Structure formats: structure tokens, C-alpha cells
Amino acid sequence: MLPADAAAKARSTFDSGKTLPLAFRLERLRALLRAIERHEDALLGAMRQDLHKHPNEAFAELGLALSDLKHHLAHLADWAAPQRLPISKVLFPARAYVQHEPLGRVLIIGPWNYPALLVLHPLIGAVAAGNTVVVKPSELSPATSQAVEAVLRDAFGDDGHVSVVQGGVDVSTQLLAERWDHIFFTGSTQVGKVVMAAAAKHLTPVTLELGGKSPALIDDDVNLDVAAKRIAWSKTYNAGQTCVCVDYVLVHERHAAAFISKVKQAWLDFYGQDPKQSPDFSRIVTPRHAERLQRLMEGGTVAHGGQVDAAERYVAPTLLTDVKLDSPLMQEEIFGPLLPVIPVKSLDEAMAFVRARPKPLGLYVFTENDAHAERVFAQCPSGGAMQNDSIGQIATHSLPFGGVGDSGLGRYHGRHSFETFSNPKSVVRKPAFPDFFLRYAPLRRTPLALWRHIVG
Ligand code: NAD
């Protein structure tokens, strides 16, 4: 479908009012749930094709979407019900409540790294809130983007409630030129700026789920075995192509050598001597992205790994030491299985390092000392944070997910998704009687001292 046609269809369907009733929204969410289940094999196969994801890893994407769908089905009636609130005495007598109404037409633009989840997950909230939606999946994960389109056609038909427009930057640019009531973008910080500039032309609100460099801080007081294993996992899950994975490590100098040898061992245990042969290790999205990772390795000394086969989209799990802080390795989001390890003398030095850089999406501290973890969380801003692990902060509906500063703007997941795609309209309902005369001119009838008492 052409971008302008999809936008026009989304408008006329929204204007028809058909997406407003709660029963309709619940029915469409149930249809989406059934369609994802029906297309599971096709979706898992497509993710294998695009990123060589193991089916278990690929299913984690669908699992997050399915569990949030069930959570919405269980709670949407409560969230959508008017919320009665106390009134200020100047309004007396009156009733006041918040009534959530849909924003209208929503545009969702997705990335390639979790190509199913990152369009389905925001879509759940947008549909729950009663919007019409146009989805633009990534052109760099073509098999999954087609599979997602098949799911959405199965669930929503072609009545303009949810439409899919496939394409790359040109199509995205045309979509962004249309007037939307909300734009939900997941992707790089650089393109996030393009999206926000386009949205500003129509004063369209945006949610920007962006990336950045999420650090892991390893304290002196740490369970090093667990820290090394969990960081090794974070850096190779989906071959390190995860927005919230550990980007680099700041390790207490006392543990640096042991940490490196434990990460090596963990990768050997996970993927064997040659990770290229492992059925569990994902591929880089394109040869061009693999070549970029190869260039990033120039920012340090390869202490383990380093093999690249760009044509096969393979980059080995790689440890880098003697890291140059002004190199692209430490200036850009890595987004691949390269782990720079930087020794520090103290947790304070690590915190100063993090604070001197853009606010990250995730912040991870590995420590047995809870007071140390709390100090890091209090003193280093970030979108989310974890103690003794990473990535998992995204897997709980109750927690709002999103970035801060360069890592993003806005929140979603669970109820936070519903709120992101709703306008919380403030409603006050007053009876015609009584009609207090003091509010009307001539105001001099009321001495200021009495007025102060009434209004203050
Ligand atoms: P990207 O910004 O290159 O592309 C994202 C989407 O924007 C794609 O659909 C693409 O077609 C479109 N696009 C690209 N250039 C555009 C332009 N100039 N104008 C308009 N649209 C354009 O991102 P990507 O490479 O697909 O994904 C990787 C990035 O996404 C990483 O930075 C990663 O951290 C981030 N990410 C963030 C989250 C999150 O939830 N915060 C999740 C996944 C990925």
C-alpha cells in the first residue's frame, strides 16, 4: 500500500468511530493473539532466515508480545474506565474524572533487530487505546517484515484499522510527511532526530525508543563467576544486536584479568571452539553491518575472537582490551558481539565515566553490596537499570520501558503502553444549580479577605 493511501485509510476508519467501543478493541486484541499463535512457525522461520536466531531466542520475542497481549486483555476494561478523582473546593458541587480517549492515527516505525516484537509490542497498546495504526517494519529484516504483515492482515483484515506499509528510508520519509496523532519510533538516535523534526512540523507527539551505549559496572565486591557469565550472555544474545545489552564493561582493576578469562570460558561453554558452527549463535543483519563491526575492532586489542566473515554475516564473540576512548568503538553504539573491557580503580571512577557520557538506555551494576548498587542507581541517570544482570528490565509489564536523553523519550509496556497511546482527558461535570453569584462581576461585592478564604 502507498504511504498516502494508508494514512488516508487510517483517518477515515478512525473518523468512522468503529475503533472506539471497548468490545471492538478487545475483539481485535484477541484476533491478534490468535493470529500470532497461528503464524508462529512462519515467524520463527523468518527470524532464522533474517538473523539466524535459534527458535528459542526467536520465541522470546513472540512470548513478550503474547504475554503483554494477555495482560492487556485482562486489564484493559479497568484502565479504560473513567477514573473518578477528588475536586478542588472552587468547583463545588461537581464530579471530576479522567477519561482516556484514543489519540487517533498512529504511525509505528520498527527496527530490524527484534523485527517482530518491536512492531507488535507497541501495536498492542495502540489498538488497546482505540487508535488506527499504520506499521512500517524494517526493510533490513525482509522475511520477518513479510511474516508480520501476514499476521496483521490475518488479524485485522484490510478495513484500515491496522495497515502495513513495507519499504525503506524513502517510504519512511513519505510516511513521516503525513499528519499523525502519534509517532512511535524504535531505532537509532540519529534517525530519532529525523523523526522528531518531521513530527514537529505538525506538533505530533512522539515516542522515541532509541539506543546508545549501556555500561556494565563491576564492583570490587562481586560474584565474578555470575557477572562474567551473564555479561557473556548479554553480549551474544542475538549476537549483541540488542538495544539494552551490555555495550562495554568498567571492571574493578583487581578483577580485570579474571573477568576476561571467565568471559572467554563462558563463550566456549555456550558456543564451542567455533561459534560459526553453533546453531545457537545469531548472525549480523547484513554484510555491511559485519564490516562495520570489523572496523570497530581497531579501537582496541583483540584479546579473544576477532574472526569476521562478512559475506556470511558472521562476527565472532570478541573481547577487546587497551581500548581507545576516542575511537568509534567507544563513541558509537556497538550493536554486535564485541565487548570492550576497561579497568577502573573504583566504583566512583566508573560512575564518573558513565556520567560524563550520554544517558544510556540500560545501566548495569554487578555487586554483592546493595548500598553500592543504590548509589550507582541514584547517581547515574539511565532509562532503566539492573543489579547483577542486564536486559531483563524489559521483560516485566509493570515496569515502564524507555530511554532518557539520547536514549529516548516516552515509555511503554503494559499499562504504560495504553497511556502512551491515549489522551487522558480531564472531565468536570457540574449541575446547573446552585449557581454561586460571587464568581460574577461586580467582583467588588466580595472583600479580598473573604475571596482569599474561598479560593485559597
Ligand atoms: P534505524 O534508525 O536505522 O532504522 C529504524 C527504522 O527507521 C527503519 O524502519 C528504517 O527504515 C527507518 N529509517 C532509517 N533511516 C531513516 C531516515 N533517514 N528517515 C526515516 N526513516 C528512516 O535503526 P535500526 O538499524 O533498524 O535499529 C538499530 C537501532 O535501534 C539501534 O540504535 C538500537 O539501539 C535501536 N533500538 C532501540 C530499541 C529500544 O527499544 N530502545 C529497540 C531496538 C533497537
Side-chain angles (χ1 to χ4, degrees):
M1 192 183 287
L2 292 172
D5 293 346
K9 209 164 170 186
R11 171 176 293 289
S12 60
T13 303
F14 184 74
D15 289 347
S16 76
K18 78 183 273 187
T19 63
L20 295 182
L22 179 65
F24 177 84
R25 303 183 209 174
L26 288 168
E27 180 41 41
R28 287 293 168 105
L29 290 176
R30 279 192 284 269
L32 179 58
L33 181 75
R34 289 192 298 269
I36 294 173
E37 286 171 347
R38 261 197 304 275
H39 292 249
E40 180 184 314
D41 288 347
L43 286 162
L44 298 185
M47 287 187 254
R48 187 75 172 167
Q49 204 176 318
D50 287 329
L51 289 154
H52 197 251
K53 285 195 195 203
H54 187 278
N56 290 9
E57 214 176 274
F59 186 80
E61 283 200 35
L62 303 186
L64 276 181
L66 288 169
S67 71
D68 205 19
L69 254 171
K70 289 173 190 161
H71 184 68
H72 273 74
L73 287 167
H75 297 286
L76 182 57
D78 280 348
W79 301 339
Q83 290 160 16
R84 187 92 186 253
L85 294 163
I87 56 158
S88 125
K89 65 184 174 187
V90 293
L91 290 178
F92 183 82
R95 282 183 292 147
Y97 53 88
V98 167
Q99 183 173 328
H100 286 94
E101 64 183 14
L103 293 170
R105 293 187 309 164
V106 170
L107 172 64
I108 295 176
I109 299 178
W112 49 262
N113 63 328
Y114 290 88
L117 176 67
L118 294 175
V119 292
L120 293 174
H121 209 166
L123 177 68
I124 295 165
V127 168
N131 300 283
T132 55
V133 188
V134 173
V135 171
K136 208 294 282 174
S138 175
E139 70 281 18
L140 297 183
S141 47
T144 315
S145 296
Q146 290 300 332
V148 166
E149 180 169 358
V151 170
L152 299 184
R153 213 176 315 110
D154 188 3
F156 296 99
D158 66 351
D159 63 359
H161 183 197
V162 174
S163 311
V164 178
V165 178
Q166 302 279 5
V169 177
D170 52 335
V171 165
S172 205
T173 306
Q174 290 172 52
L175 284 166
L176 287 169
E178 297 287 331
R179 180 185 282 274
W180 302 95
D181 298 300
H182 194 92
I183 299 175
F184 189 103
F185 171 79
T186 307
S188 59
T189 300
Q190 193 192 346
V191 179
K193 292 176 187 172
V194 174
V195 170
M196 196 157 173
K201 293 209 177 86
H202 300 296
L203 282 183
T204 299
V206 289
T207 303
L208 301 176
E209 298 289 344
L210 310 178
K213 292 181 84 64
S214 300
L217 284 58
I218 301 183
D219 192 16
D220 190 15
D221 182 4
V222 65
N223 181 328
L224 198 63
D225 287 329
V226 170
K229 206 164 170 180
R230 290 185 182 172
I231 291 171
W233 169 82
S234 178
K235 202 61 191 182
T236 47
Y237 190 80
N238 197 25
Q241 300 166 110
T242 303
C243 57
V244 281
C245 75
V246 171
D247 187 276
Y248 64 94
V249 168
L250 299 165
V251 56
H252 192 283
E253 59 186 4
R254 198 163 73 81
H255 297 306
F259 174 74
I260 287 170
S261 79
K262 285 175 194 292
V263 170
K264 277 186 206 170
Q265 188 56 51
W267 282 340
L268 279 171
D269 294 345
F270 295 167
Y271 305 113
Q273 287 291 346
D274 183 6
K276 199 174 177 186
Q277 306 307 325
S278 167
D280 297 336
F281 189 57
S282 295
R283 290 291 177 269
I284 305 304
V285 66
T286 69
R288 180 171 57 85
H289 288 73
E291 284 160 9
R292 173 187 160 269
L293 289 166
Q294 188 164 31
R295 285 195 298 278
L296 288 191
M297 289 184 202
E298 292 162 15
T301 304
V302 173
H304 176 78
Q307 300 82 5
V308 176
D309 181 344
E312 291 291 315
R313 303 186 283 135
Y314 171 75
V315 175
T318 299
L319 277 159
L320 292 148
T321 55
D322 308 317
V323 173
K324 296 181 203 122
L325 298 185
D326 57 355
S327 67
L329 179 69
M330 285 307 294
Q331 297 294 320
E332 296 173 12
E333 178 180 12
I334 295 173
F335 226 54
L338 318 182
L339 183 62
V341 180
I342 303 167
V344 288
K345 290 191 171 14
S346 66
L347 199 56
D348 284 315
E349 184 186 334
M351 285 194 289
F353 188 100
V354 172
R355 276 199 306 268
R357 288 167 173 75
K359 295 172 187 168
L361 189 57
L363 170 69
Y364 308 117
V365 54
F366 289 79
T367 180
E368 293 299 286
N369 184 321
D370 288 350
H372 286 186
E374 283 154 24
R375 199 148 60 85
V376 172
F377 297 154
Q379 294 183 17
C380 300
S382 67
M386 277 186 95
Q387 180 178 0
N388 289 327
D389 213 340
S390 67
I391 301 182
Q393 75 272 24
I394 68 162
T396 304
H397 313 306
S398 54
L399 287 174
F401 174 68
V404 57
D406 281 19
S407 58
L409 179 72
R411 291 290 182 273
Y412 76 129
H413 289 192
R415 185 183 189 137
H416 311 286
S417 295
F418 172 76
E419 288 174 354
T420 283
F421 291 109
S422 300
N423 170 37
K425 182 187 269 183
S426 301
V427 180
V428 177
R429 298 178 70 177
K430 279 183 75 69
F433 180 83
D435 189 28
F436 294 120
F437 67 92
L438 294 181
R439 66 193 275 186
Y440 303 116
L443 299 180
R444 60 184 175 278
R445 279 183 295 192
T446 319
L448 185 58
L450 176 59
W451 190 241
R452 209 179 267 130
H453 183 70
I454 296 169
V455 175

